[in-house]
């Protein structure tokens, strides 16, 4: 117990220990600002970051900000600086700039550079995403599809992805399986098969396929995200947590990864760790209602009812969600404040009227206040809506 207490104190005093990559709060905030369109603020912060640590990701972020602000010359200046540090890393952004400038020849040149690099844009992303849609205005699609810019395999993968986009899973699966019958080492084909199986509800098959993809390409972000989703749905939370840690290592500037990690810490009963991580996230995103809710749940599991109530009240000030009312009702029940619990369960039922488990909880709170008739009435409704807990209460108290 002594060592565990010391560990908790260290985490409270130094929350950055939670991040094995030692990522600075300032760097994380920059990328959040970019996502939220706060380009001027992010740009100023990036200057400080680059002066201390000229990482390629920071230069690319600068270039992307200027691109978003339609300052294409300045964006290209930073792309060229970046190319000296990490060749071709900015090639996709340069393509977008030339597409916006309607410069067909330079777009062709940079596209050829990109397609020969390790940052090759997939055919699906090139031809089907909004950010590259100017390709059709510049009539570059024939140039892209002709010749040897993309292999036969890549063109088949593109065809399968289009079919998946159109929900034509059987046709897509036929193409994918035909490809794998010829060559079982096509990681992207295993990935697409996993997506198809996931959409069709075959979680075990989807997991097998994405494992095959990751055996071929262990650090692919898209593959890790897919496996994290599949394992989450399979309730294999410890395995999902391992993958989210890998994703954070690959891209430490994605705040959603940390929120997902906090959720997975909660689901693996690591409540102290979940609390510390949510506290850190809330320093950056103080008005994120979902993180406040997760913090409240973690405190509730640790029987820190005051902190749990404080956090869920904050989340309800920001957003009204049925889950928040249920949690607050549970907190009130745990602290014997049953009249308030009944009100919150009623708020939940105003949003979702046919939830038997909430009727079971509401009935229990009414029983504790001495309203047995009202409790039995709630449990009858809970039974009607499929709650085993309500049935147990009925048999125990209402015969």
């Amino acid at each position: 117990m002594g060592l565990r207490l010391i560990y908790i104190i260290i985490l409270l005093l130094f929350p950055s220990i939670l991040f094995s990559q030692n990522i600075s709060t300032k760097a994380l905030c920059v990328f959040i600002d970019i996502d939220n369109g706060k380009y001027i603020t992010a740009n100023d912060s990036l200057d400080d970051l680059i002066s201390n640590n000229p990482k390629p990701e920071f230069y690319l972020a600068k270039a992307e900000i200027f691109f978003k602000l339609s300052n294409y010359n300045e964006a290209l200046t930073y792309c060229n600086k970046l190319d000296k540090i990490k060749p071709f890393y900015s090639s996709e952004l340069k393509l977008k700039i030339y597409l916006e400038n309607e410069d067909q020849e330079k777009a062709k040149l940079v596209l050829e550079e990109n397609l020969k690099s390790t940052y090759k844009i997939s055919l699906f992303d090139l031809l089907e995403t909004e950010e590259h849609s100017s390709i059709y205005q510049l009539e570059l699609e024939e140039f892209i599809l002709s010749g040897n810019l993309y292999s036969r395999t890549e063109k088949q993968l593109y065809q399968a992805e289009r079919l998946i986009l159109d929900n034509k899973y059987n046709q897509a699966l036929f193409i994918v399986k035909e490809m794998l019958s010829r060559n079982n080492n096509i990681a992207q084909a295993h990935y697409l098969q996993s997506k198809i199986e996931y959409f069709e509800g075959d979680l075990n098959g989807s997991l097998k396929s994405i494992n095959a993809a990751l055996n071929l390409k262990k650090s692919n972000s898209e593959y890790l995200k897919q496996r994290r989703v599949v394992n989450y749905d399979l309730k294999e939370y410890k395995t999902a947590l391992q993958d989210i840690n890998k994703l954070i290592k690959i891209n430490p500037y994605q705040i959603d990864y940390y929120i997902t990690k906090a959720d997975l810490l909660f689901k693996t009963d690591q409540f102290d760790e979940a609390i510390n991580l949510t506290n850190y996230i809330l320093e950056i995103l103080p008005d994120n209602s979902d993180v406040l809710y997760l913090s409240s749940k973690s405190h509730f599991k640790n029987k820190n009812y005051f902190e749990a109530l404080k956090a869920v009240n904050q989340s309800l000030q920001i957003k009204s969600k049925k889950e928040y009312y249920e949690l607050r009702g549970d907190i009130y029940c745990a602290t014997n404040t049953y009249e308030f619990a009944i009100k919150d369960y009623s708020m939940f039922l105003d949003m979702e009227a046919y939830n038997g488990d909430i009727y079971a909880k509401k009935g229990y709170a009414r029983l504790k206040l001495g309203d047995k008739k009202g409790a039995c009435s709630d449990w009858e409704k809970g039974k009607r809506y499929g709650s085993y807990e309500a049935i147990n209460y009925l048999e125990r108290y209402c015969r």
Side-chain angles (χ1 to χ4, degrees), residues 1-12 265 268-276 298 301-304:
M1 288 295 291
L3 287 173
R4 187 169 182 268
L5 181 60
I6 291 169
Y7 173 69
I8 292 169
I9 291 169
I10 289 171
L11 286 176
L12 288 169
L265 286 169
T268 52
D269 297 334
Q270 300 179 68
F271 305 125
D272 291 329
E273 293 84 349
I275 288 166
N276 281 285
S298 301
K301 287 291 187 179
N302 267 356
K303 299 184 178 181
N304 300 325

Coordinates of all heavy atoms in Angstrom, one line a residue, residues 1-12 265 268-276 298 301-304:
M1 N 0.8 -1.2 0.0 CA 0.0 0.0 0.0 C 0.9 1.3 0.0 O 0.5 2.3 -0.6 CB -0.9 0.0 1.2 CG -2.1 -1.0 1.1 SD -3.2 -0.6 -0.3 CE -3.9 0.9 0.4
G2 N 2.0 1.2 0.7 CA 2.9 2.3 0.8 C 3.4 2.8 -0.6 O 3.4 3.9 -0.9
L3 N 3.9 1.8 -1.4 CA 4.4 2.1 -2.7 C 3.3 2.6 -3.6 O 3.5 3.5 -4.4 CB 5.0 0.8 -3.3 CG 6.3 0.3 -2.7 CD1 6.8 -1.0 -3.3 CD2 7.4 1.4 -3.0
R4 N 2.1 2.0 -3.5 CA 1.0 2.5 -4.3 C 0.6 3.9 -4.0 O 0.4 4.7 -4.9 CB -0.2 1.6 -4.1 CG -1.4 1.9 -5.0 CD -2.4 0.8 -4.9 NE -3.5 1.0 -5.8 CZ -4.6 1.6 -5.6 NH1 -4.8 2.1 -4.3 NH2 -5.6 1.8 -6.4
L5 N 0.7 4.3 -2.7 CA 0.4 5.7 -2.3 C 1.4 6.6 -2.9 O 1.1 7.7 -3.4 CB 0.3 5.8 -0.8 CG 0.0 7.1 -0.2 CD1 -1.4 7.6 -0.7 CD2 0.1 7.1 1.3
I6 N 2.7 6.2 -2.8 CA 3.7 7.1 -3.4 C 3.5 7.3 -4.9 O 3.7 8.4 -5.4 CB 5.1 6.4 -3.1 CG1 5.4 6.5 -1.6 CG2 6.2 7.1 -3.9 CD1 6.6 5.7 -1.2
Y7 N 3.1 6.2 -5.6 CA 2.9 6.3 -7.0 C 1.8 7.3 -7.3 O 1.9 8.1 -8.2 CB 2.5 4.9 -7.5 CG 2.1 4.8 -9.0 CD1 3.1 5.1 -10.0 CD2 0.8 4.5 -9.3 CE1 2.7 5.0 -11.3 CE2 0.4 4.5 -10.6 CZ 1.4 4.7 -11.6 OH 1.0 4.7 -12.9
I8 N 0.7 7.2 -6.6 CA -0.4 8.1 -6.8 C 0.0 9.6 -6.6 O -0.3 10.5 -7.3 CB -1.6 7.7 -5.9 CG1 -2.2 6.4 -6.3 CG2 -2.7 8.8 -5.9 CD1 -3.2 5.8 -5.3
I9 N 0.8 9.8 -5.5 CA 1.2 11.2 -5.2 C 2.1 11.7 -6.3 O 1.9 12.9 -6.7 CB 2.0 11.2 -3.8 CG1 1.0 10.9 -2.7 CG2 2.7 12.5 -3.6 CD1 1.7 10.7 -1.4
I10 N 3.0 10.9 -6.8 CA 3.8 11.3 -8.0 C 3.0 11.7 -9.2 O 3.2 12.7 -9.8 CB 4.8 10.2 -8.3 CG1 5.9 10.0 -7.2 CG2 5.5 10.5 -9.7 CD1 6.8 8.8 -7.4
L11 N 2.0 10.9 -9.5 CA 1.1 11.2 -10.6 C 0.3 12.5 -10.4 O 0.2 13.3 -11.3 CB 0.1 10.0 -10.9 CG 0.7 8.8 -11.5 CD1 -0.3 7.7 -11.6 CD2 1.3 9.0 -12.8
L12 N -0.1 12.7 -9.2 CA -0.8 13.9 -8.9 C 0.1 15.2 -9.0 O -0.3 16.2 -9.5 CB -1.4 13.9 -7.5 CG -2.6 12.9 -7.3 CD1 -2.9 12.8 -5.8 CD2 -3.8 13.5 -8.1
L265 N -8.8 3.0 -19.5 CA -8.3 2.8 -18.1 C -9.5 2.6 -17.2 O -9.4 1.7 -16.3 CB -7.5 4.1 -17.7 CG -6.2 4.2 -18.3 CD1 -5.6 5.6 -18.0 CD2 -5.2 3.1 -17.8
T268 N -10.9 -0.9 -17.7 CA -10.0 -2.0 -17.1 C -9.8 -1.8 -15.6 O -8.8 -2.3 -15.0 CB -8.6 -2.0 -17.8 OG1 -8.1 -0.7 -17.8 CG2 -8.8 -2.4 -19.3
D269 N -10.7 -1.0 -15.0 CA -10.7 -0.9 -13.5 C -9.5 -0.2 -13.0 O -9.2 -0.3 -11.8 CB -10.9 -2.2 -12.8 CG -12.3 -2.9 -13.1 OD1 -13.2 -2.1 -13.5 OD2 -12.3 -4.1 -13.1
Q270 N -8.8 0.6 -13.8 CA -7.7 1.4 -13.3 C -8.2 2.8 -13.0 O -7.9 3.8 -13.7 CB -6.6 1.4 -14.4 CG -6.1 0.0 -14.7 CD -5.0 0.0 -15.8 OE1 -3.9 0.5 -15.6 NE2 -5.3 -0.6 -17.0
F271 N -9.0 2.9 -12.0 CA -9.7 4.2 -11.7 C -8.8 5.3 -11.3 O -9.0 6.5 -11.7 CB -10.8 3.9 -10.6 CG -11.7 2.8 -11.0 CD1 -11.9 1.7 -10.1 CD2 -12.4 2.8 -12.2 CE1 -12.8 0.7 -10.5 CE2 -13.2 1.8 -12.6 CZ -13.4 0.7 -11.7
D272 N -7.7 5.0 -10.5 CA -6.8 6.1 -10.1 C -6.1 6.7 -11.4 O -6.0 7.9 -11.5 CB -5.7 5.6 -9.2 CG -6.3 5.2 -7.8 OD1 -7.3 5.9 -7.4 OD2 -5.8 4.3 -7.2
E273 N -5.7 5.8 -12.3 CA -5.0 6.2 -13.5 C -6.0 7.0 -14.4 O -5.6 8.0 -15.0 CB -4.4 5.0 -14.2 CG -3.3 4.3 -13.5 CD -3.7 3.3 -12.5 OE1 -4.9 3.3 -12.2 OE2 -2.9 2.6 -12.0
A274 N -7.2 6.6 -14.5 CA -8.2 7.2 -15.3 C -8.5 8.6 -14.7 O -8.6 9.6 -15.5 CB -9.5 6.4 -15.3
I275 N -8.6 8.8 -13.4 CA -8.8 10.1 -12.8 C -7.6 11.0 -13.1 O -7.9 12.2 -13.4 CB -9.0 9.9 -11.2 CG1 -10.3 9.3 -10.9 CG2 -8.8 11.3 -10.5 CD1 -10.5 8.8 -9.5
N276 N -6.4 10.5 -12.9 CA -5.3 11.4 -13.2 C -5.2 11.8 -14.7 O -4.9 13.0 -15.0 CB -4.0 10.7 -12.8 CG -3.8 10.7 -11.3 OD1 -3.4 11.8 -10.8 ND2 -4.0 9.6 -10.6
S298 N -15.2 7.6 -12.8 CA -14.0 7.1 -12.1 C -14.0 7.4 -10.6 O -13.7 6.5 -9.8 CB -12.8 7.6 -12.8 OG -12.7 7.3 -14.2
K301 N -16.6 5.2 -8.9 CA -16.1 3.8 -8.7 C -15.2 3.8 -7.5 O -15.1 2.7 -6.8 CB -15.4 3.3 -9.9 CG -16.4 2.9 -11.0 CD -17.2 1.7 -10.7 CE -18.1 1.2 -11.8 NZ -18.9 0.0 -11.5
N302 N -14.5 4.8 -7.3 CA -13.5 4.9 -6.1 C -14.2 5.4 -4.9 O -13.6 5.6 -3.8 CB -12.4 5.9 -6.5 CG -11.2 5.1 -7.0 OD1 -11.2 3.9 -7.1 ND2 -10.2 5.9 -7.4
K303 N -15.6 5.6 -4.9 CA -16.4 6.1 -3.8 C -16.0 7.5 -3.3 O -16.2 7.8 -2.2 CB -16.3 5.1 -2.7 CG -16.9 3.7 -3.0 CD -16.9 2.7 -1.9 CE -17.5 1.4 -2.3 NZ -17.6 0.4 -1.2
N304 N -15.4 8.3 -4.3 CA -15.2 9.7 -4.0 C -16.4 10.5 -4.5 O -16.4 11.1 -5.5 CB -13.9 10.2 -4.8 CG -12.7 9.4 -4.4 OD1 -12.5 9.0 -3.2 ND2 -11.8 9.2 -5.4

